[in-house]
């Protein structure tokens, strides 16, 4: 067995309690990213339930396989390891009535769900980026409480379940990722996309024996108060709002100490925790300006990490240590994340979860059962087995007697056609209204304000109808999605209020992007309605070049695609005097045309509702 | 049952703690909704409260935990029969039920349904009470309440308003009392709540992650200590939890004795008028909450200072939505309070 710990630099910091920046740099440069990934696997394997788990972002492939192999090899022997497929039914996940056994036994028999079976082990979530909100909520409930609470199919049970989660997130885009509530509870967020297979050919200096020893040592490992403070301060400076981040970092620091054979958490353990737990969660850089917050500042303004931690005289004692930790964290951030943070772009954690939220809502609506009723299964109606059994249940004794009287052997359960119960699902196609707003200079700022006002009123009526809304703006060189489909009125209002105006009119790009969103909505089974607010005077082509003629042609072409896609649309002409161009565009789009000068908010709202049907 | 984090060890979040205590003292206020950021201890507070509630007296063997002192109207059918025959029921002390309504619960378990086991094995048609029955006289807790399936929300709405569960299914036809304090928690980012359900909650609380380092360190430190040795931690906070339990008990006993002078009623009405809240529910909740708060603090009269402190949780979710007003409802309530009752 190889000795020494490659994941942690040689232990020298004990002698000097506060090494300076040089020490931190050295620490950061000593650690290769793959060793950190391996360290995460090891620490997770020591205490799967305590760390919550790993959000593993990678496409399926040899690198991910290598990582999983490593983690599996270190996990406690004999613990259950279950794979949970994406479309697992609630019944299988939580448990419920075991129909086969119930029929055999002639009395209700409960079946343990996957989450209960995984007690003391690990569950692997396949394609976790597409996980439904409800499934994620079951997992978070188990992670929080350590038990599965079952209230289904006439069965009530609680069973203990302490498990760790490996969420295999295969998302590629920004919007595809693990639901935020679950992600928040997993200590490690790893992105393996940056590794090639040759990166993984590093010998890892731990084996199952070291991991087992660390597991045994873990209960006695303590962490000093100053380290707790350091980690909390670093989390705050990196803009990590949820306190779970800090708490998990402390646990991971303790695990790192246990692995290194220490009873006391040392600085390198804290640094490891910062790299592995805090860095991937960062929403801003500690030294830079706080990223533009979307929310109005809360009553006590958040302490500026810059002044609060680094320049105040009273904070001197902790400062170098915290700096070191922050630097370690920063060094561990992938380059693209760093660039994003540096550019002052707030990581879109909120919008992302918003987009997901829409999908979750939709999923719960799609299959809204409107009760079971007597009837035969057929198209659009599904047999409800449990309800059927319920209906048959009271008659069993009588029927058995009848059957016996006819000289036949009664079955365990005698089900007649009369007992058949079917569930009807009400297909409520959810409407998503996509607003495409022309924020160009030609749309003139005063008209933009009016358009904003009109949209806000529309938003209010969308809220009443519980529609989802999305917002696309186009100006200057191109178009952008300000708000992916959401139900949050507050968010819609905010992104609208902060919409700037000015620049050219890239109408074609705006329509293209809206159509893309509409397509996504349709794919998920929703009904999109497109509301375009523009004066129709396109002057920027798709490639960002100026030129009225080409831009106009492209806009018309894009509009025709809308008609082809069968998306219902409304075009609101925002110019002071109705424009033939806008009317022409509406014609190409198959959209209803509504000149704003004549439209008050009420007319507008009625028009959208008429279009949305 | 996992061990709950002690209620008294929760750092900060005063509005949430106060609202939960107020609802525990006067269940007729109608429940608490806790909405806020992830990882702010929403569920922790509710489970902590469950652990320290004083016990209640219930009829022995009653499936619904009927109150032996209750009037006949609010008893279940069995206990009503006994009362009519003049039988004095035996009673015992039981913990106040705090029932989880987990996501993924099916309707039959929530409302109650035919007892399948007895039906299958004995051919008897018997009712198996559901979660609503179990929550009678206690708390019904729904985590992630905004993810609750629509048909379950429908079932809840009616029961929460009437205090009675009507079962008409599988040839069963019965009604039983189901008066409970509805407690919900969730994260507004994952979807909004239906206005009807929102209205069922007497109080609504917004929680935020603390932004200052010392508080955050304190929270994390306590939580960490708890997780390392749960029994020892609970033992350490036992006395403080006991004090809160005592406070609830005293307040419950004193509640009817707390005077609500006309002036307080008038001020409450003025506040609701200024905010334009719909109906009388807001006003009623405001006054009840102020009275419960007075009882909790050992005051004999509920006055304007109490009103001021419960105004935000009692009213913020009852304001008309105004899409053009950027400021949140909390700010609007505060503004109205400051205008009406200058310090």
């Amino acid at each position: 067995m190889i000795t020494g710990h490659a994941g942690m630099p040689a232990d020298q910091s004990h002698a000097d309690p506060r090494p300076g920046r040089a020490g931190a740099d050295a620490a950061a440069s000593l650690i290769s990213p793959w060793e950190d990934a391996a360290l995460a696997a090891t620490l997770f394997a020591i205490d799967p339930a305590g760390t919550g788990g790993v959000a593993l972002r990678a496409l399926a492939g040899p690198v991910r396989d290598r990582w999983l192999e490593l983690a599996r090899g270190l996990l406690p022997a004999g613990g259950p390891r279950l794979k949970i497929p994406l479309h697992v039914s609630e019944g299988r996940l939580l448990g419920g009535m075991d129909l086969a056994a119930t029929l055999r036994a002639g009395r209700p028999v409960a079946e343990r769900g996957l989450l209960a079976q995984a007690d003391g082990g690990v569950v692997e979530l396949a394609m976790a980026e597409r996980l439904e909100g409800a499934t994620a909520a079951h997992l978070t409930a188990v992670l929080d409480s350590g038990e599965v609470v079952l209230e289904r199919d006439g069965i009530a049970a609680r069973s203990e379940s302490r498990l760790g989660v490996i969420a295999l997130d295969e998302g590629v885009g920004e919007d595809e990722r693990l639901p935020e509530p679950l992600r928040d509870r997993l200590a490690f967020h790893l992105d393996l996309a940056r590794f090639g297979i040759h990166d993984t050919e590093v010998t890892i200096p731990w084996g199952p024996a070291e991991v087992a020893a660390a597991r045994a040592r873990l209960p006695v490992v303590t962490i000093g108060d100053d380290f707790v403070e350091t980690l909390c301060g670093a989390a705050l400076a990196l803009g990590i709002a949820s306190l779970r981040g800090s708490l998990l970092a402390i646990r991971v620091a303790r695990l790192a100490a246990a692995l290194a054979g220490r009873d006391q958490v040392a600085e390198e353990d804290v640094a490891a925790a910062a790299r592995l737990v805090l860095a991937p969660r960062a929403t801003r850089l500690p030294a830079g300006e706080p990223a533009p917050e979307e929310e109005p500042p809360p009553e006590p303004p958040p302490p500026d990490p810059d002044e609060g931690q680094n320049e105040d005289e009273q904070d001197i004692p902790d400062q170098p240590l915290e700096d070191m930790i922050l630097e370690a964290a920063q060094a561990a951030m992938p380059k693209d994340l760093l660039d994003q943070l540096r550019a002052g772009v707030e990581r879109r954690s909120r919008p992302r979860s918003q987009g997901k939220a829409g999908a979750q809502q939709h999923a719960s609506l799609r299959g809204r059962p409107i009760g079971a009723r007597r009837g035969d299964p057929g198209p659009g109606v599904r047999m409800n087995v449990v309800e059927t059994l319920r209906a048959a249940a009271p008659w069993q004794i009588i029927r058995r007697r009848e059957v016996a009287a006819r000289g036949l052997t009664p079955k365990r359960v005698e089900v007649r056609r009369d007992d058949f119960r079917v569930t009807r699902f009400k297909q409520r196609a959810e409407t998503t209204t996509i607003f495409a707003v022309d924020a160009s200079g030609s749309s003139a700022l005063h008209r933009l304000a009016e358009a904003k006002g009109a949209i806000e009123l529309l938003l209010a009526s969308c809220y009443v109808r519980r529609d989802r809304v999305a917002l696309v703006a186009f100006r200057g060189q191109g178009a952008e999605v300000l708000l992916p489909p959401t139900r949050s009125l507050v968010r819609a209002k905010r992104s609208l209020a902060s919409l700037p105006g000015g620049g050219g009119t890239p109408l074609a790009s705006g329509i293209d992007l809206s159509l893309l969103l509409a397509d996504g909505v349709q794919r998920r089974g929703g009904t999109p309605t497109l509301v375009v607010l523009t004066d129709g005077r396109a002057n920027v082509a798709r490639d960002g070049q100026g030129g009225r003629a080409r831009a106009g042609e492209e806009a018309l072409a894009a509009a025709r695609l809308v008609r082809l896609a069968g998306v219902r649309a409304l075009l609101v002409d925002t110019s002071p005097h109705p424009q033939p161009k806008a009317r022409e565009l509406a014609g190409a789009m198959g959209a209803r045309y509504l000149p704003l000068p004549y439209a008050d908010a009420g007319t507008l709202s009625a028009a959208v509702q008429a279009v949305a049907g | 049952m996992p061990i709950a984090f002690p209620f008294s060890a929760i750092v900060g979040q005063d509005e949430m703690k106060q609202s939960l205590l107020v609802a525990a003292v006067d269940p007729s206020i109608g429940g608490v909704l806790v909405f806020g950021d992830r990882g702010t201890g929403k569920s922790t507070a509710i489970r902590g409260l469950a652990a320290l509630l004083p016990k209640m007296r219930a009829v022995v063997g009653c499936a619904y935990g009927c109150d032996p002192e209750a009037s006949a109207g609010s008893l279940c059918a069995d206990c009503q029969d006994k009362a009519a025959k003049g039988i004095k029921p035996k009673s015992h002390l039981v913990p106040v039920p705090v029932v989880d309504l987990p996501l993924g619960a099916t309707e039959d378990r929530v409302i109650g349904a035919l007892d399948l086991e007895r039906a299958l094995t004995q051919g008897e048609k018997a009712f198996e009470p559901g979660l609503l029955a179990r929550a009678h006289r206690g708390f019904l807790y729904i985590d992630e309440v905004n993810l609750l399936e629509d048909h379950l929300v429908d079932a809840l709405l009616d029961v929460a308003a009437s205090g009675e569960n009507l079962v008409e299914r599988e040839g069963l036809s019965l009604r039983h009392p189901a008066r409970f304090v509805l407690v919900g928690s969730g994260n507004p980012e994952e979807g909004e709540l239906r206005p009807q359900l929102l209205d069922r909650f007497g109080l609504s609380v917004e929680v935020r992650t603390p932004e200052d380092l010392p508080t955050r360190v304190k929270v994390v430190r306590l939580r960490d200590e708890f997780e390392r040795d749960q029994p020892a931690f609970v033992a350490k906070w036992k006395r403080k939890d006991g004090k809160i339990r005592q406070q609830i008990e005293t307040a419950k006993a004193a509640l009817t004795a707390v005077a609500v002078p006309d002036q307080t009623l008038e001020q409450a009405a003025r506040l609701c008028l200024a905010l334009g809240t719909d109906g009388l529910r807001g006003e009623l909740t405001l006054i009840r909450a102020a009275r419960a708060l007075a009882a909790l603090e050992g005051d004999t009269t509920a006055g304007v200072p109490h009103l001021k402190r419960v105004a935000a949780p009692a009213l913020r979710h009852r304001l008309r939505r105004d899409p053009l007003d950027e400021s949140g409802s909390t700010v609007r309530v505060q503004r109205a309070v400051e205008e009406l009752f200058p310090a």
Side-chain angles (χ1 to χ4, degrees):
Chain A
M1 189 56 62
I2 308 142
T3 53
H5 300 258
M8 295 170 213
D11 188 356
Q12 15 149 279
S13 46
H14 261 324
D16 175 9
R18 276 187 280 283
R21 269 156 200 278
D25 283 347
S29 63
L30 269 178
I31 290 147
S32 90
W34 178 258
E35 278 171 2
D36 254 2
L39 180 61
T42 314
L43 298 180
F44 168 67
I46 298 175
D47 184 12
T51 58
V54 188
L56 195 63
R57 195 169 166 87
L59 292 173
V63 177
R64 191 176 86 177
D65 290 346
R66 184 65 65 88
W67 189 93
L68 286 171
E69 203 179 289
L70 176 66
R72 287 183 192 133
L74 296 172
L75 281 169
R81 273 161 231 177
L82 299 177
K83 280 197 177 172
I84 297 186
L86 177 59
H87 294 296
V88 61
S89 73
E90 247 176 13
R92 264 314 281 145
L93 197 64
L94 299 171
M97 179 189 279
D98 185 337
L99 261 183
T102 302
L103 290 176
R104 231 182 295 119
R107 60 179 176 76
V109 177
E111 171 193 42
R112 262 153 61 90
L114 288 171
L115 290 179
Q117 283 171 17
D119 181 24
V122 170
V123 296
E124 273 176 34
L125 302 176
M127 293 174 74
E129 79 282 1
R130 294 174 56 86
L131 203 63
E132 280 182 15
T135 313
H138 295 315
L139 277 163
T140 55
V142 170
L143 285 175
D144 283 354
S145 64
E147 60 172 359
V148 183
V149 183
L150 178 67
E151 297 286 353
R152 294 177 66 82
D153 306 339
I155 292 164
R158 278 168 181 267
S159 41
E160 208 167 288
S161 179
R162 287 186 41 80
L163 50 83
V165 175
I166 299 180
L168 303 172
D169 177 347
E170 295 180 19
V172 278
E174 273 283 280
D175 292 334
E176 277 184 317
R177 69 173 6 169
L178 198 58
E180 207 57 42
L182 179 58
R183 210 161 162 267
D184 189 38
R185 287 166 170 88
L186 307 183
F188 305 107
H189 302 171
L190 285 179
D191 189 346
L192 299 186
R194 55 186 157 144
F195 299 114
I197 185 70
H198 57 273
D199 291 329
T200 66
E201 282 152 13
V202 178
T203 322
I204 302 304
W206 312 285
E210 278 80 0
V211 168
R215 209 171 283 139
R217 181 180 293 275
L218 187 61
V220 301
V221 178
T222 56
I223 180 166
D225 279 355
D226 49 335
F227 286 138
V228 172
E229 226 158 276
T230 308
L231 280 171
C232 288
L236 199 59
L238 291 168
I240 302 166
S242 170
L243 283 168
R244 283 202 190 94
S246 311
L247 206 57
L248 288 169
I250 288 170
R251 281 196 214 156
V252 167
R254 203 177 273 138
L255 285 168
L259 183 63
R262 280 185 282 268
D263 288 348
Q264 274 269 319
V265 170
E267 263 168 37
E268 52 260 51
D269 307 326
V270 175
R275 287 197 317 272
L276 294 172
V277 182
L278 298 183
R281 288 177 154 82
T283 64
R284 65 180 175 214
L285 282 185
E289 295 267 290
E293 274 287 338
E294 293 185 302
E295 288 170 62
E299 293 325 314
D304 188 326
D306 223 5
E307 290 159 20
Q309 305 308 311
N310 298 350
E311 275 155 32
D312 263 16
E313 305 91 316
Q314 56 189 38
D315 252 4
I316 291 290
D318 275 337
Q319 187 225 323
L321 176 59
E322 189 169 315
D323 268 3
M324 185 201 92
I325 296 304
L326 282 174
E327 257 170 57
Q330 227 162 299
M333 290 181 200
K335 196 177 166 299
D336 54 331
L337 171 56
L338 268 180
D339 291 345
Q340 254 181 43
L341 296 179
R342 224 168 252 145
V345 184
E346 191 192 7
R347 289 185 75 201
R348 291 173 47 238
S349 65
R350 275 163 184 266
R352 212 178 289 119
S353 72
Q354 278 305 323
K356 276 273 190 275
Q360 292 159 11
Q361 297 288 345
H362 168 73
S364 69
L365 284 176
R366 185 174 51 213
R368 187 196 161 190
I370 48 171
R373 64 174 171 85
R374 183 170 299 194
D376 294 338
V381 272
R382 207 163 75 195
M383 175 113 164
N384 187 327
V385 183
V386 173
E387 290 297 329
T388 302
L389 271 180
R390 271 182 201 292
W395 304 98
Q396 292 310 303
I397 292 178
I398 302 171
R399 283 181 189 164
R400 272 190 212 126
R401 263 184 231 139
E402 272 174 19
V403 171
R406 274 187 278 142
L408 302 166
T409 334
K411 300 194 192 77
R412 280 282 188 197
V413 180
E414 290 286 333
V415 178
R416 305 284 148 85
R417 196 171 161 188
D418 266 1
D419 303 326
F420 285 175
R421 294 290 186 273
V422 294
T423 314
R424 274 187 309 170
F425 289 94
K426 194 171 161 189
Q427 276 285 358
R428 188 179 128 189
E430 209 178 21
T431 308
T432 303
T433 309
I434 300 165
F435 292 98
V437 186
D438 180 352
S440 67
S442 75
S443 201
L445 286 178
H446 66 286
R447 303 302 301 176
L448 182 59
E450 273 176 45
K452 280 185 185 177
I455 294 179
E456 291 204 341
L457 283 153
L458 288 175
L459 282 175
S461 71
C462 284
Y463 175 74
V464 171
R465 282 179 282 133
R466 304 204 49 80
D467 287 356
R468 299 195 295 156
V469 294
L471 201 57
V472 170
F474 51 100
R475 61 183 278 264
Q477 304 291 306
E480 63 170 325
V481 179
L482 284 185
L483 184 70
T486 175
R487 239 184 214 170
S488 166
L489 187 65
V490 182
R491 278 199 40 78
K493 274 191 306 187
R494 259 186 223 144
S495 54
L496 191 63
S498 57
L499 170 65
T505 313
L507 192 49
S509 312
I511 296 175
D512 285 347
L513 190 58
S514 316
L515 191 57
L516 206 64
L517 271 183
D519 188 46
V521 171
Q522 271 176 334
R523 270 164 206 253
R524 289 186 211 127
T527 312
T529 303
L530 184 59
V531 180
V532 184
L533 293 99
T534 180
D535 57 2
R537 282 185 289 188
N539 59 12
V540 177
R542 281 189 179 121
D543 56 9
Q545 300 289 317
R548 250 172 220 291
R550 195 154 66 91
E553 263 167 43
E554 282 188 8
L556 280 176
R560 278 192 282 275
L561 286 178
V562 173
R563 184 203 281 263
L564 280 178
V567 175
R568 287 178 293 193
L570 169 74
L571 190 134
V572 181
D573 189 347
T574 55
S575 51
H577 307 290
Q579 290 283 317
K581 280 229 166 110
R583 190 180 281 276
E584 194 187 337
L585 196 67
M589 211 183 276
R592 195 169 154 183
Y593 174 74
L594 193 72
L596 188 56
Y598 309 131
D600 58 6
T603 325
L604 205 56
S605 179
V608 171
Q609 276 178 48
V611 169
Chain B
M1 264 311 256
I3 298 177
F5 188 80
F7 189 79
S8 49
I10 295 167
V11 181
Q13 312 292 17
D14 294 324
E15 196 188 61
M16 171 167 69
K17 287 193 280 190
Q18 178 193 299
S19 297
L20 286 172
L21 292 178
V22 161
V25 169
D26 185 358
S28 71
I29 287 171
V32 185
L33 175 69
V34 186
F35 247 33
D37 300 337
R38 278 180 275 278
T40 41
K42 297 183 290 272
S43 345
T44 306
I46 291 146
R47 298 193 193 288
L49 180 75
L52 64 67
L53 286 171
K55 293 195 170 181
M56 65 178 194
R57 196 154 273 286
V59 174
V60 175
C62 174
Y64 307 99
C66 279
D67 182 359
E69 312 283 310
S71 61
S74 52
L75 291 175
C76 71
D78 274 2
C79 294
Q80 260 178 25
D81 280 355
K82 281 186 192 150
K85 287 181 199 146
I87 303 170
K88 182 132 179 68
K90 272 190 204 155
S91 70
H92 58 165
L93 282 177
V94 293
V96 172
V98 176
V99 176
D100 263 295
L101 198 164
L103 288 181
T106 52
E107 212 174 298
D108 59 281
R109 282 302 307 144
V110 176
I111 296 169
L114 187 68
D115 186 332
L116 219 51
E117 172 129 28
R118 275 170 74 186
L120 282 170
T121 52
Q122 297 157 37
E124 270 174 31
K125 209 160 91 177
F127 177 65
E128 189 184 10
L131 295 177
L132 294 176
R134 238 197 284 156
H136 179 47
R137 301 182 63 206
F139 290 70
L140 185 70
Y141 174 47
I142 314 169
D143 194 9
E144 308 279 6
V145 61
N146 41 356
L147 294 181
L148 197 66
E149 296 268 1
D150 271 0
H151 65 283
L152 286 182
V153 173
D154 296 342
L156 268 181
L157 285 177
D158 189 44
V159 180
S162 65
E164 189 175 54
N165 183 23
L166 258 170
V167 185
E168 294 289 352
R169 48 190 290 158
E170 292 150 349
L172 293 167
S173 171
L174 62 100
R175 58 177 63 199
H176 68 77
R179 262 181 302 278
F180 47 82
V181 177
L182 195 61
V183 181
S185 67
N187 184 337
E189 279 175 37
E190 277 141 42
E192 307 201 21
L193 220 54
R194 253 162 75 183
Q196 294 88 337
L197 183 57
L198 200 58
D199 187 57
R200 293 290 184 273
F201 291 97
L203 306 173
S204 103
V205 186
E206 285 169 7
V207 286
R208 286 178 158 282
T209 334
E211 300 262 2
D212 63 308
L213 185 58
T215 314
R216 289 178 69 111
V217 171
K218 205 170 159 195
V219 173
V220 168
R221 208 174 267 162
L222 286 172
R223 186 78 215 183
D224 189 54
E225 197 187 329
F226 168 70
E227 267 155 24
R228 282 176 63 71
D229 190 350
Q230 300 193 348
F233 189 79
V234 170
K236 194 171 148 191
W237 289 85
K238 205 172 167 200
R239 266 198 42 214
K240 285 200 173 155
D241 260 14
K243 260 190 195 158
I244 297 180
R245 179 181 298 124
Q246 190 61 45
Q247 199 188 355
I248 297 176
E249 241 166 333
T250 319
K252 275 186 119 154
L255 189 63
T256 45
V258 174
V260 185
D262 285 353
Q263 196 223 348
T264 310
L265 298 177
E266 218 171 89
Q267 299 291 12
R270 277 178 59 198
L271 184 60
C272 291
L273 209 60
L275 285 165
T277 55
D278 297 334
L280 282 172
R281 287 176 68 90
E283 226 170 296
L284 210 58
T285 311
L286 186 61
I287 292 163
R288 281 183 180 155
R291 190 176 57 181
L293 183 64
L296 267 173
E297 306 197 327
D299 297 330
T300 49
T301 324
V304 171
H306 300 113
L307 273 188
K308 274 165 84 168
R309 283 166 53 204
V310 295
L315 299 177
R316 68 157 65 89
H317 56 302
R318 301 178 197 278
L319 305 188
R320 277 246 175 84
R321 284 225 173 218
D322 179 358
L324 301 174
D325 192 349
E326 265 302 308
S327 55
S329 36
T330 309
V331 180
R332 279 162 67 193
V333 174
Q334 272 167 3
R335 228 187 280 147
V337 166
E338 274 159 29
E339 273 168 28
L340 279 178
F341 318 120

